[in-house]
Amino acid sequence: MPELPEVETVRRGLTPAMEGTRIERLELRRGNLRFPFPENFEDDVNGRTIVSLGRRAKYLLIDLDSGKTIISHLGMSGSFRIEEGRQKTTPGEFHHERSKDEKHDHAIFHLEGSEGPRRVIYNDPRRFGFMDIAERTELQNNPFLFGLGPEPTGNELSAAYLAERFAGKAQPLKGALLDQKNIAGLGNIYVCEALWRSHLMPTNAAGTLVTKTGKPKEALNLLVSSIRDVIADAIKAGGSSLRDHIQTDGSLGYFQHSFSVYDREGDPCRTPGCGGTVSRIVQAGRSTFYCPVCQK
């Protein structure tokens, strides 16, 4: 599944192409993706102006002038393609063309803006993505968004906040970080990277980072800093681009080449002077990559 940096990269790529445009017509080429499209979806969006594009956790949010918001999740293989005249790309730092097999084009936004017509096409070979629509004022109650924790890039995420969530918890640290009620949008890849940067074992109990009086230990302060840094680095690089994920212009981000621990089983640890070797274990059905020498 795409993680927060991938979705943020998509949002930034779509914004100049969609923001301020009018949806002349939403063309749905099938009745469902992972779930059925919302009832009267086309009627709700046709003729509306796109006010802004946002993101919450791993969800793309398209705000309309009607007060409603389209909620989009990319699933495992979903992506957006922008077509304007003969141009089928948007500005991007990386240029690796992907397949534009139209049989996987499931939703097409026919847009009209100040620079003329364009199409934004949602393509999803595996159809694990989905779209929903809700009143903007009720987003916090939407089943997909309800109960999400703070963003890993926002000021709400702090060592003091996590100390409250982790106090007394025997749950493995990795599992606690993947819990979307604790932190929204943080996924397997960047949890592994953040734990490596902060030299913490993913199997440690989350409560070990909290003092008996409920205060965050220094290791928890370092973990929060590492989370912020790894997410910022990934967004800057354009996301991880693992397997099917691509940016809006069909290009791949290069952050995968900068992974220090994820998917590097058997490689030397990159911590200076460590001398350890990256290992892999499975936690809750997901691969965890870590260094058994410098992560304690």
Side-chain angles (χ1 to χ4, degrees):
M1 293 290 180
E3 297 192 27
L4 185 155
E6 286 74 41
V7 180
E8 178 62 19
T9 299
V10 170
R11 184 196 71 79
R12 294 183 182 188
L14 287 176
T15 294
M18 297 187 76
E19 202 167 88
T21 64
R22 184 177 187 270
I23 303 174
E24 295 294 316
R25 179 168 65 97
L26 172 61
E27 176 185 351
L28 300 179
R29 294 187 170 179
R30 57 181 300 114
N32 67 300
L33 294 171
R34 183 177 177 183
F35 309 115
F37 284 108
E39 188 176 353
N40 301 319
F41 191 30
E42 293 152 299
D43 292 338
D44 274 341
V45 305
N46 287 344
R48 308 315 315 189
T49 296
I50 297 173
V51 177
S52 63
L53 274 74
R55 179 195 53 74
R56 178 70 169 112
K58 303 175 186 180
Y59 298 92
L60 179 69
L61 306 177
I62 304 173
D63 287 329
L64 307 177
D65 64 348
S66 63
K68 293 187 175 184
T69 298
I70 298 170
I71 304 166
S72 176
H73 193 285
L74 297 176
M76 294 182 69
S77 61
S79 61
F80 285 93
R81 182 174 77 251
I82 301 168
E83 295 187 355
E84 189 168 6
R86 294 185 178 182
Q87 298 296 319
K88 297 185 178 182
T89 60
T90 58
E93 295 182 14
F94 315 113
H95 302 279
H96 185 88
E97 195 72 9
R98 58 94 162 168
S99 172
K100 295 182 174 64
D101 191 339
E102 292 189 2
K103 71 181 180 183
H104 300 307
D105 291 347
H106 304 309
I108 302 175
F109 293 85
H110 296 266
L111 306 175
E112 184 69 36
S114 59
E115 298 181 1
R118 63 176 62 101
R119 303 196 309 167
V120 173
I121 301 164
Y122 179 75
N123 181 290
D124 193 347
R126 301 184 188 181
R127 300 201 306 273
F128 284 171
F130 58 85
M131 293 185 187
D132 194 10
I133 191 167
E135 294 288 344
R136 187 180 306 125
T137 55
E138 293 297 318
L139 283 179
Q140 70 275 12
N141 297 320
N142 182 271
F144 299 116
L145 304 179
F146 179 76
L148 290 176
E151 295 282 320
T153 55
N155 293 330
E156 290 182 47
L157 179 64
S158 65
Y161 162 78
L162 285 183
E164 290 183 8
R165 302 290 299 188
F166 290 177
K169 294 293 179 64
Q171 181 184 22
L173 186 53
K174 184 189 176 188
L177 292 173
L178 287 175
D179 186 341
Q180 299 298 292
K181 293 181 180 179
N182 290 331
I183 305 175
L186 198 58
N188 193 41
I189 297 170
Y190 302 111
V191 166
C192 289
E193 291 293 302
L195 288 172
W196 176 81
R197 290 191 184 199
S198 50
H199 305 296
L200 292 170
M201 275 288 288
T203 55
N204 289 347
T208 60
L209 299 185
V210 185
T211 68
K212 292 181 179 180
T213 59
K215 302 296 183 182
K217 293 182 179 179
E218 185 55 38
L220 190 51
N221 284 295
L222 177 58
L223 177 59
V224 170
S225 178
S226 297
I227 290 171
R228 292 185 186 280
D229 290 345
V230 75
I231 293 295
D233 288 347
I235 291 173
K236 183 178 179 181
S240 67
S241 304
L242 292 180
R243 297 183 179 87
D244 296 315
H245 182 75
I246 55 168
Q247 297 186 56
T248 55
D249 61 356
S251 63
L252 295 176
Y254 291 163
F255 188 69
Q256 61 182 351
H257 302 303
S258 298
F259 286 156
S260 295
V261 69
Y262 187 84
D263 205 26
R264 295 189 62 246
E265 181 183 10
D267 291 348
C269 177
R270 293 183 176 179
T271 298
C274 171
T277 300
V278 175
S279 296
R280 173 186 171 274
I281 57 173
V282 176
Q283 292 180 282
R286 298 183 183 183
S287 293
T288 297
F289 298 91
Y290 70 103
C291 175
V293 175
C294 68
Q295 291 180 244
K296 304 295 186 180

